[in-house]
Amino acid sequence: MAEQAQQFAFQAEVQRLLDLVIHSLYTDKEIFLRELVSNASDAIDRLRFEALTNPELLPDGHEPRIRLVPDKEARTLTIDDDGIGMTRDEVVRNIGTIARSGTREALEQLKDKAGEGAAQLIGQFGVGFYSSFMVADRVELVTRKAGTDEAVRWESSGGGSFSVTEAERDRPGTTITLHLKPVDSENGIEDYTDRWVLSRIVRQHADFITYPIILPAEKPEEVPEGETPQPEKPLNSMKPIWARPPAEVTKDEYADFYKQISHDWSEPLETIHTRGEGLVEYQAVLFIPSRGAADLYYSGFKPNLRLYVKRMLVRENSEELLPRWMRWVRGAVDSPDLPLNVSREMLQSDRHVRQIRRVLTKKVLDALKKMQESDRQKYETFWRELGRAVKEGVDSDFENRDALLGLLLFTSSREAEALGTLKEYVERMPEGQNDIWYLTGSSREQIENSPALEAFRDRGWEVLYLTEPVDELVVQSVTEFEGKRLRSAGKGAVELEEGEKKESADEKKKEFEPFLGALQKRLETWVKEVRLSGRLTKSPAVLVVSEHDYSPQLERILSQGRGDGVRQRRILELNASHTLVQNLRRRFDANPNDTVVGDYAELLLGWSLLAEGAGPHDPVRFTQLVAGLMETGLDAAPVAEAAPAEPAAEPEADAPGAVDADAHPATSSEEPDTPTSDSAAEESAVSAG
């Protein structure tokens, strides 16, 4: 006579806890299959371990398998294993843990805790099995402990109770039968009797489980007319590439695995196959790609780095194992030592993760350094694709900043397309140069045309061109390299002259003080100082900022999306040797109240803004001043004779038709000090004003 089923009632607060596990703990409902397959694999592992000391537990010719048996007509899915199995007491103690742990105190603890704390509390119950109730109305479990002849059946609808009774099973192990809910795609419930769905889930989440996950052959009556029944076959590959010695893995195998996990059909630039033992054990295969993902720089981008625990995929996009700036690294990491919560979606302990993260980060940095030194062309390919992300690490990864500084590449005034390191820049510095100079801007063309570079260009000093927004973070975080200060060519006072030239410059400053003070008073709305420049040799003026102010490029970046048009007050530097500035000063000395001096001060300010690629503060006022300048300049300009219709023979020097150079200064090639046409027009305009 069969034993009557023994009923176990859930207490009210435990039922609420079970509802939380079923409805809130897991993100994707298909995760139930990963949990059940993982439990089956653990059960087989335990049987093989117990058999080391008790060989009788392992029958002859034992070939452990995990079987998935779908039944479309009955709407059931069965998961069967050849593992250790359980006794009646173990079923109640393990599978029924949630029933026995149902105290009001446990539920209150769960309510009071949040985040990681809550995850740790849930992990105490071992309720991954209960994820099956997300997709099943009723669950049956039949199990038999290895070494015994008794089997037991556990059954529940996930409601207020479960039952335990005697059963029969022809071999040790466990069989779980899920009576599936109706398909509900909108709520994430797929048809888990569909062989293609089962195959996809296994390949995604359990492809590298050690034991074969078998899907039985199709029955002829289940196959549409004209199609061939599918034979019995394993759904998983069981061959994780990271578990094999690197010497046994071919380049093609690495490339195939990279393409499989990354969906990038180009070859990776570099492969890192490594393992660690000691306080924490792990195996990893990492890839440095040859190109970055299209959405790499979007805030929602998640790294393509897979995390496995005992070959079971627990996270496809792991963000904890490498710093954020390394999010372009692709690959897989497998560790048996990472403690997980029941959902396997949140790591319970950060200590092991930090250790793995530290080692893997160093491995990637070492690989990049080796690539830079041994294959510069390949490294530059990497840099042009992913260098922007590497620069992010300078501002965020303090632990590895020194190593990162050696990896940085920059364009400069040396060659248009050439890339160089900071170390190479220092090695090229000429005698007399003590600092590393740079200038930020929106493009190379804009930086090259900046008046701020004139003195550096004349001296032959190299200047780094920083054209990416992230460069602003780099130069704010790094103040020196190998004892050389990093200085902006557009910030602070630049004093490049020495000796007698410096003394002469100091004397000029005293002479210009009243004039500069008057200009500063006229421009005080936009400019906090007007001074003589040590960086100009050709242009009349340039706008710079104080040593600790925002650069114009950073100011533009920060003001994007703002409509107030607010700008910081900057410094207007004048070239004391420029004809326009000298004539303007003479006019001021003749009449300090001359309004034309103030107008020209505004023109110089607007010109300086245009020279750096910005617009004038007051476009209407600027255009009015330019129109006035053009009018007075046109009145003062000499009238040129009409050009002959046909080219004539070149006249003799004293011939009556010879052109008088003094009458046309714009075309004169005599006397190098004669001003150009623009300077002459400016000078005549100042005089005529």
Side-chain angles (χ1 to χ4, degrees):
M1 182 176 176
E3 178 196 18
Q4 186 175 0
Q6 184 177 359
Q7 297 290 326
F8 291 82
F10 290 149
Q11 297 179 15
E13 63 269 20
V14 177
Q15 182 58 48
R16 290 161 57 196
L17 183 59
L18 180 57
D19 289 340
L20 172 67
V21 172
I22 295 173
H23 300 296
S24 304
L25 190 58
Y26 294 87
T27 303
D28 299 319
K29 289 182 169 55
E30 67 183 31
I31 295 300
F32 84 93
L33 189 58
R34 182 190 71 183
E35 294 295 325
L36 298 182
V37 168
S38 177
N39 289 343
S41 176
D42 291 343
I44 297 173
D45 282 340
R46 186 177 171 193
L47 174 61
R48 295 166 71 88
F49 178 76
E50 295 285 347
L52 294 176
T53 55
N54 189 0
E56 296 178 357
L57 295 178
L58 208 61
D60 294 337
H62 181 252
E63 294 183 3
R65 294 184 171 191
I66 301 170
R67 301 170 187 83
L68 305 181
V69 185
D71 188 331
K72 283 186 174 292
E73 292 185 3
R75 289 289 300 156
T76 62
L77 174 63
T78 299
I79 297 93
D80 181 273
D81 69 64
D82 301 318
I84 189 71
M86 290 178 284
T87 65
R88 180 190 182 96
D89 290 341
E90 287 173 334
V91 166
V92 175
R93 184 173 65 251
N94 297 332
I95 301 298
T97 296
I98 192 167
R100 298 179 65 253
S101 301
T103 63
R104 184 177 300 277
E105 291 79 7
L107 188 58
E108 292 301 322
Q109 280 183 299
L110 182 62
K111 280 181 168 183
D112 294 340
K113 289 181 178 285
E116 185 178 352
Q120 291 176 348
L121 182 62
I122 293 172
Q124 297 171 9
F125 296 108
V127 291
F129 166 79
Y130 283 89
S131 64
S132 55
F133 285 106
M134 294 189 300
V135 299
D137 292 319
R138 183 162 58 92
V139 178
E140 296 178 30
L141 178 146
V142 176
T143 183
R144 172 182 161 187
K145 180 69 176 282
T148 69
D149 296 325
E150 298 179 355
V152 62
R153 178 189 303 274
W154 181 98
E155 185 175 353
S156 176
S157 298
S161 64
F162 65 91
S163 63
V164 178
T165 187
E166 289 182 358
E168 293 183 359
R169 199 176 194 276
D170 60 357
R171 68 189 191 285
T174 301
T175 300
I176 300 172
T177 301
L178 309 181
H179 295 264
L180 297 168
K181 295 178 180 180
V183 176
D184 186 356
S185 300
E186 291 185 0
N187 291 316
I189 299 179
E190 300 182 70
D191 184 1
Y192 298 111
T193 65
D194 187 292
R195 299 170 68 90
W196 183 87
V197 172
L198 296 176
S199 177
R200 176 184 60 79
I201 296 173
V202 169
R203 286 192 174 277
Q204 181 176 0
H205 295 287
D207 194 37
F208 302 120
I209 286 291
T210 308
Y211 309 107
I213 303 172
I214 300 297
L215 195 63
E218 284 184 300
K219 299 176 183 178
E221 60 269 20
E222 296 176 343
V223 181
E225 187 177 350
E227 294 186 12
T228 304
Q230 292 289 329
E232 180 177 278
K233 62 177 182 179
L235 300 179
N236 57 324
S237 65
M238 299 174 290
K239 298 178 181 179
I241 198 170
W242 57 81
R244 297 161 56 187
E248 297 179 5
V249 185
T250 67
K251 183 178 179 180
D252 289 341
E253 287 177 314
Y254 281 129
D256 289 343
F257 180 63
Y258 170 77
K259 293 172 183 177
Q260 174 190 342
I261 65 173
S262 68
H263 308 294
D264 178 8
W265 302 111
S266 59
E267 297 286 331
L269 280 180
E270 198 69 39
T271 301
I272 305 169
H273 192 161
T274 183
R275 64 182 302 159
E277 297 176 346
L279 295 177
V280 59
E281 181 181 342
Y282 71 88
Q283 296 170 315
V285 173
L286 306 179
F287 299 98
I288 298 176
S290 57
R291 61 182 182 182
D295 57 343
L296 181 66
Y297 298 105
Y298 287 84
S299 58
F301 178 83
K302 293 187 179 296
N304 196 333
L305 185 60
R306 297 187 174 192
L307 174 61
Y308 293 81
V309 174
K310 296 181 180 178
R311 302 186 181 185
M312 175 69 71
L313 177 66
V314 295
R315 188 172 297 180
E316 279 195 277
N317 308 110
S318 179
E319 300 180 87
E320 299 87 359
L321 298 177
L322 287 172
R324 176 68 181 169
W325 67 269
M326 279 190 183
R327 59 190 178 276
W328 37 267
V329 174
R330 296 162 180 169
V333 180
D334 187 3
S335 174
D337 296 330
L338 296 181
L340 305 172
N341 76 336
V342 64
S343 73
R344 301 181 184 239
E345 291 181 338
M346 293 181 63
L347 300 176
Q348 284 187 338
S349 171
D350 287 334
R351 180 171 59 88
H352 296 94
V353 175
R354 284 196 301 269
Q355 185 170 351
I356 294 176
R357 174 189 176 110
R358 188 177 299 112
V359 176
L360 293 183
T361 300
K362 188 176 186 305
K363 293 287 185 183
V364 176
L365 287 171
D366 289 346
L368 291 177
K369 187 65 177 176
K370 182 179 179 181
M371 188 193 304
Q372 184 192 63
E373 294 174 348
S374 61
D375 194 338
R376 183 60 174 262
Q377 185 176 357
K378 181 195 288 188
Y379 184 75
E380 290 191 6
T381 299
F382 159 80
W383 185 262
R384 295 184 193 279
E385 281 288 328
L386 298 162
R388 177 178 163 189
V390 176
K391 290 178 182 178
E392 294 175 15
V394 176
D395 183 61
S396 60
D397 191 352
F398 302 103
E399 183 177 353
N400 298 296
R401 178 179 290 177
D402 290 343
L404 281 168
L405 289 181
L407 295 174
L408 300 180
L409 294 183
F410 300 96
T411 59
S412 71
S413 56
R414 182 172 61 97
E415 291 181 33
E417 298 298 328
L419 291 169
T421 65
L422 289 175
K423 184 178 180 63
E424 291 166 349
Y425 178 99
V426 172
E427 291 173 350
R428 290 193 296 266
M429 286 171 55
E431 186 177 352
Q433 182 182 349
N434 300 316
D435 302 318
I436 299 173
W437 293 95
Y438 67 87
L439 191 60
T440 61
S442 59
S443 66
R444 181 183 181 90
E445 182 181 10
Q446 180 200 356
I447 295 176
E448 282 186 329
N449 293 326
S450 173
L453 297 183
E454 291 176 355
F456 299 94
R457 192 176 290 114
D458 288 351
R459 285 174 170 263
W461 288 8
E462 184 178 356
V463 178
L464 302 178
Y465 291 171
L466 310 185
T467 58
E468 296 178 326
V470 69
D471 289 327
E472 296 286 352
L473 297 177
V474 173
V475 295
Q476 287 188 40
S477 301
V478 182
T479 58
E480 67 172 39
F481 178 79
E482 293 188 354
K484 307 292 185 180
R485 284 196 307 160
L486 266 72
R487 296 185 60 188
S488 171
K491 281 189 174 185
V494 174
E495 302 289 349
L496 302 182
E497 302 295 350
E498 298 179 356
E500 294 182 2
K501 289 185 178 181
K502 187 176 185 306
E503 292 178 4
S504 175
D506 292 339
E507 292 178 2
K508 275 191 176 181
K509 288 180 182 178
K510 293 180 181 179
E511 295 174 8
F512 274 74
E513 277 184 6
F515 170 65
L516 298 176
L519 266 59
Q520 183 173 339
K521 184 176 181 181
R522 177 63 177 260
L523 304 175
E524 62 182 352
T525 303
W526 309 287
V527 172
K528 61 182 176 182
E529 183 183 357
V530 179
R531 68 190 183 197
L532 296 186
S533 178
R535 71 191 92 211
L536 293 175
T537 59
K538 297 180 179 64
S539 299
V542 66
L543 274 171
V544 298
V545 296
S546 299
E547 195 70 47
H548 302 292
D549 285 350
Y550 293 150
S551 70
Q553 171 73 348
L554 181 57
E555 185 181 13
R556 281 190 288 269
I557 294 171
L558 296 176
S559 64
Q560 286 179 356
R562 293 172 51 185
D564 52 18
V566 174
R567 296 177 179 174
Q568 60 185 346
R569 294 170 69 214
R570 295 165 62 185
I571 300 169
L572 180 64
E573 289 191 350
L574 303 181
N575 181 358
S577 61
H578 195 278
T579 304
L580 175 59
V581 175
Q582 291 176 346
N583 290 342
L584 197 59
R585 182 206 157 194
R586 282 197 294 268
R587 181 148 185 160
F588 170 80
D589 290 342
N591 181 8
N593 297 318
D594 192 341
T595 58
V596 172
V597 175
D599 291 344
Y600 267 76
E602 293 186 41
L603 281 169
L604 284 171
L605 175 62
W607 183 91
S608 301
L609 287 166
L610 290 172
E612 67 179 28
H617 291 288
D618 187 345
V620 174
R621 171 66 175 164
F622 182 75
T623 55
Q624 290 173 347
L625 291 172
V626 170
L629 171 64
M630 293 171 65
E631 182 180 349
T632 55
L634 188 62
D635 291 340
V639 179
E641 296 179 2
E646 295 292 336
E650 186 173 332
E652 297 295 332
D654 296 328
V659 177
D660 186 353
D662 292 337
H664 301 277
T667 59
S668 173
S669 59
E670 301 176 10
E671 297 186 10
D673 294 335
T674 302
T676 63
S677 59
D678 290 341
S679 298
E682 292 168 347
E683 183 176 354
S684 60
V686 173
S687 302

